Amino acid sequence: MASSYKADKKSHICPPSNAIHPADRWESLFVYSFICKFTNLRHKIEGLESPMDLEEALMLKEPNNIVTQILVQFVVNLKPQTRNLSTDQISTTVASVLSEYFKTFERTIFWDDDLKANVDPFEGLEGGFFATNWDFKLKILRQLVELQLCHAPDIKATIDNAWGVVHNKHKKNQAPAPLDPSDPKSQEHLQLLPIGQDCQRKRYWIADDSPRIYVSTNPWKITATFQTVSSTREEYLATIDTLKASAPPEPKRGQKRTKLENAHIALIAALEGRLEAIDAELARVSRVRKKIEQKRILLAQAEVRQTRTRRRTQKPDYVYNNDMDSEDDGDEYTYQEERQDDEYEQDFLNFNDGPRRGRGGPSAVATRRSARTAAVNSNGKREGSSDSGIWRGERRSSRLGGSEAFVDVEPSRKRARTEDSTESVHSNDAFALDNLGVANGVRVKTSGAAALKPTEIAMEQIAGKKRSKFWVYAVEPIPGAQPPLPVPPSNASTSPDIGGHGHETNGSHTNGTTQSPGSNKTDYGKSMEGRLSPMHL
């Protein structure tokens, strides 16, 4: 008798909702409030700025960024090591994560009393998560939020810290300090409580600073209803006006307001106090959506706009010649070769008065010209350029087809900068010997700008002047002085010189007469009163 009377207790089962939009389901407020309080997705996901954005994303039957990023964050909170979180694989990943919890005996919203087990909602589902209706998506999101509140380590730690829960009570100094009410992770901010209640016992709910207002009856009753009464600023002001119209009248003298009447007046004041924050939030959302729209316009224009590059459409003509072969060559670049300082100095040492290339002057030899624009011969190779016959001393590839007559024409080789090289005469420098002469035992030039004048005498060194191997001193005697006479042979030891003159060891010869050092210094100084200038060798 007792066994037959025993019956299973029925759980609290709410009647199915007849809502046709996610805005009229309490799960929407539940999910969106969790996103705002426990995650930073609202500022991270592009386009998720209000509850209306979430509801519009749930209405779509195709993959979208908002729902995808929410699912990814919920899965990572439950399983931090989860991979395969891309848009095309997130549906399979969510089904795999939920199936692990469905295998346990923990009751979920998909619990079956007859089977005494959870039923996998993804079993036999075609098209994946995004192909389902908004009701299925909302239930999955609700279930993921409930699992995070119970099993996610970070979420549980945040809740325990806000409520001051201590797990190791046997240890001293383990109780956390109470958080400030202004802290986003404090108990006051994490709780989802109605903003107020009217005189008809209807609760008014808000989730953020948007003008969205939800209204419900007593949520502890099975017959509770839930709906949205405001989504815009105009609807928000209309709701305040409705509450003011239904506000209780002023009490009579000596009477007090009831608890419901005081709650109704407090609700009106609370809603009016949010107007400034709502205006600021609407302005922020407007700026964000304007930027998103501009970004989409730019992306659309980028797809339509033709790609432009810096590449020239005209084939370049690599010509480095001073001469112009055609009318199109007028703007061609003219290459001017810089003078090499070493070669310039070596020409002075070698007494080379021939033409040299200056730093700014034009070259005496035609510069090199590319043969890429030349015509192709019968063998399929390019022929030489039109000015190949006037090259002088330039390096040239034999592939250009130049004549053999100009191969051996090369500039004079550089002389080695040694003392022995000044005594030897190279075969290639024979042309320079014609311009050399000997004056006063010193080898000097006989032509050119550095040649001695008939009235000048070349001296290697004079009193008070530095001797150098690069120049001699050109001395012009005083007008009217006696010309120097040849020096007679002396028994003293002499050293032969190039000019045939000899220098005595104990004195110096001037005009062929031996003098004392003192007199020689006086006459020598007088002879120097004429022109004195250094002359390069």
Side-chain angles (χ1 to χ4, degrees):
M1 182 70 180
S3 61
S4 60
Y5 179 77
K6 186 178 179 180
D8 296 336
K9 294 182 179 180
K10 298 293 183 181
S11 59
H12 181 81
I13 301 176
C14 295
S17 174
N18 56 358
I20 59 176
H21 194 274
D24 296 329
R25 291 281 295 272
W26 69 270
E27 290 92 339
S28 299
L29 173 62
F30 179 63
V31 173
Y32 184 77
S33 179
F34 176 84
I35 292 174
C36 295
K37 295 178 182 298
F38 291 93
T39 67
N40 60 347
L41 294 177
R42 186 163 171 261
H43 302 286
K44 184 178 179 181
I45 301 177
E46 185 181 87
L48 183 59
E49 305 295 339
S50 63
M52 291 73 78
D53 296 330
L54 176 61
E55 295 163 2
E56 293 176 1
L58 293 175
M59 295 291 292
L60 299 176
K61 289 190 176 182
E62 59 183 9
N64 57 86
N65 183 58
I66 295 178
V67 177
T68 301
Q69 294 299 323
I70 292 174
L71 292 176
V72 169
Q73 185 64 47
F74 288 178
V75 170
V76 170
N77 289 341
L78 291 171
K79 303 290 183 180
Q81 303 299 328
T82 305
R83 298 295 183 267
N84 301 328
L85 299 175
S86 59
T87 304
D88 55 341
Q89 297 178 345
I90 189 63
S91 178
T92 305
T93 304
V94 171
S96 176
V97 171
L98 289 177
S99 64
E100 297 181 8
Y101 293 98
F102 291 156
K103 293 178 181 178
T104 62
F105 291 97
E106 180 181 359
R107 292 196 176 193
T108 65
I109 62 175
F110 301 102
W111 178 266
D112 191 344
D113 291 330
D114 297 334
L115 299 176
K116 305 296 182 181
N118 294 304
V119 178
D120 190 355
F122 288 92
E123 186 177 355
L125 183 64
E126 297 181 0
F129 174 83
F130 293 101
T132 59
N133 55 14
W134 64 267
D135 181 72
F136 180 85
K137 298 175 185 177
L138 195 57
K139 289 180 179 179
I140 295 297
L141 291 177
R142 171 200 167 183
Q143 185 61 61
L144 289 174
V145 169
E146 291 182 353
L147 291 175
Q148 291 177 81
L149 293 172
C150 297
H151 302 285
D154 295 339
I155 304 299
K156 291 177 61 179
T158 301
I159 296 174
D160 293 342
N161 188 29
W163 268 261
V165 177
V166 180
H167 296 281
N168 300 323
K169 294 183 178 181
H170 61 282
K171 295 184 179 180
K172 296 181 179 180
N173 299 328
Q174 292 295 325
L179 298 177
D180 187 82
S182 60
D183 193 335
K185 300 300 181 182
S186 63
Q187 181 178 352
E188 289 76 10
H189 279 75
L190 294 181
Q191 282 182 320
L192 180 57
L193 299 175
I195 190 175
Q197 178 178 311
D198 62 3
C199 59
Q200 299 177 359
R201 299 181 183 274
K202 290 183 179 179
R203 276 77 168 176
Y204 287 73
W205 308 79
I206 59 173
D208 55 1
D209 292 333
S210 65
R212 168 61 64 89
I213 299 178
Y214 303 94
V215 176
S216 70
T217 56
N218 189 354
W220 303 103
K221 294 184 178 180
I222 296 178
T223 58
T225 60
F226 189 88
Q227 62 180 351
T228 298
V229 296
S230 173
S231 298
T232 63
R233 191 177 189 277
E234 291 75 13
E235 295 177 352
Y236 188 87
L237 295 176
T239 303
I240 296 178
D241 295 338
T242 304
L243 290 174
K244 289 181 178 180
S246 60
E250 290 292 335
K252 295 180 181 180
R253 185 176 181 180
Q255 293 183 352
K256 294 183 179 180
R257 293 184 182 274
T258 62
K259 185 177 181 180
L260 292 178
E261 293 176 350
N262 289 330
H264 188 98
I265 295 175
L267 174 62
I268 295 176
L271 294 178
E272 288 180 344
R274 298 181 63 249
L275 286 175
E276 185 177 355
I278 290 175
D279 293 339
E281 178 68 11
L282 291 177
R284 185 194 67 84
V285 173
S286 178
R287 291 192 300 268
V288 171
R289 291 181 178 176
K290 185 177 181 180
K291 291 181 180 180
I292 295 175
E293 186 65 23
Q294 291 177 353
K295 183 178 179 180
R296 292 177 181 176
I297 293 176
L298 292 177
L299 292 177
Q301 291 178 353
E303 295 178 357
V304 178
R305 184 174 60 247
Q306 184 179 4
T307 304
R308 293 177 297 177
T309 61
R310 295 177 180 268
R311 187 172 182 178
R312 295 179 57 184
T313 58
Q314 183 181 1
K315 183 179 180 181
D317 186 12
Y318 300 98
V319 177
Y320 303 101
N321 189 15
N322 297 331
D323 300 330
M324 291 179 288
D325 297 338
S326 62
E327 296 179 357
D328 298 333
D329 296 337
D331 296 332
E332 293 178 356
Y333 173 77
T334 302
Y335 173 75
Q336 296 179 356
E337 183 179 2
E338 292 187 356
R339 181 186 65 191
Q340 299 293 334
D341 294 338
D342 294 341
E343 183 178 356
Y344 181 76
E345 181 180 355
Q346 191 65 32
D347 290 342
F348 273 110
L349 295 177
N350 297 337
F351 309 100
N352 187 7
D353 291 335
R356 292 183 296 269
R357 296 180 183 177
R359 182 177 296 270
S363 176
V365 181
T367 52
R368 184 174 181 179
R369 177 190 174 101
S370 174
R372 297 186 181 182
T373 58
V376 180
N377 56 18
S378 59
N379 295 331
K381 298 182 179 180
R382 300 176 185 268
E383 296 180 353
S385 58
S386 60
D387 57 352
S388 60
I390 63 174
W391 285 12
R392 296 293 187 273
E394 290 281 339
R395 180 178 179 183
R396 180 188 178 125
S397 175
S398 60
R399 293 180 295 175
L400 299 179
S403 59
E404 300 294 336
F406 299 99
V407 175
D408 296 333
V409 179
E410 296 181 358
S412 60
R413 300 179 181 177
K414 292 185 178 181
R415 296 168 55 88
R417 298 180 62 178
T418 59
E419 296 181 357
D420 296 339
S421 63
T422 60
E423 302 295 337
S424 62
V425 179
H426 197 273
S427 60
N428 292 334
D429 298 335
F431 69 94
L433 295 178
D434 298 338
N435 298 330
L436 299 180
V438 179
N440 197 22
V442 182
R443 187 176 61 180
V444 296
K445 292 184 178 181
T446 59
S447 62
L452 273 178
K453 295 182 180 180
T455 60
E456 294 178 343
I457 301 175
M459 303 291 294
E460 290 186 353
Q461 184 178 6
I462 61 177
K465 300 294 181 179
K466 182 181 178 181
R467 180 177 180 178
S468 174
K469 64 179 180 180
F470 299 107
W471 66 78
V472 296
Y473 294 92
V475 180
E476 185 176 356
I478 300 175
Q482 296 181 0
L485 298 177
V487 180
S490 176
N491 294 332
S493 59
T494 60
S495 58
D497 197 354
I498 299 177
H501 297 280
H503 298 277
E504 193 175 29
T505 58
N506 297 328
S508 60
H509 290 273
T510 303
N511 297 333
T513 306
T514 305
Q515 301 177 356
S516 63
S519 61
N520 186 20
K521 180 178 181 181
T522 304
D523 297 340
Y524 183 79
K526 293 181 179 180
S527 64
M528 293 298 102
E529 293 179 358
R531 187 174 70 88
L532 178 62
S533 61
M535 180 180 62
H536 287 279
L537 293 176

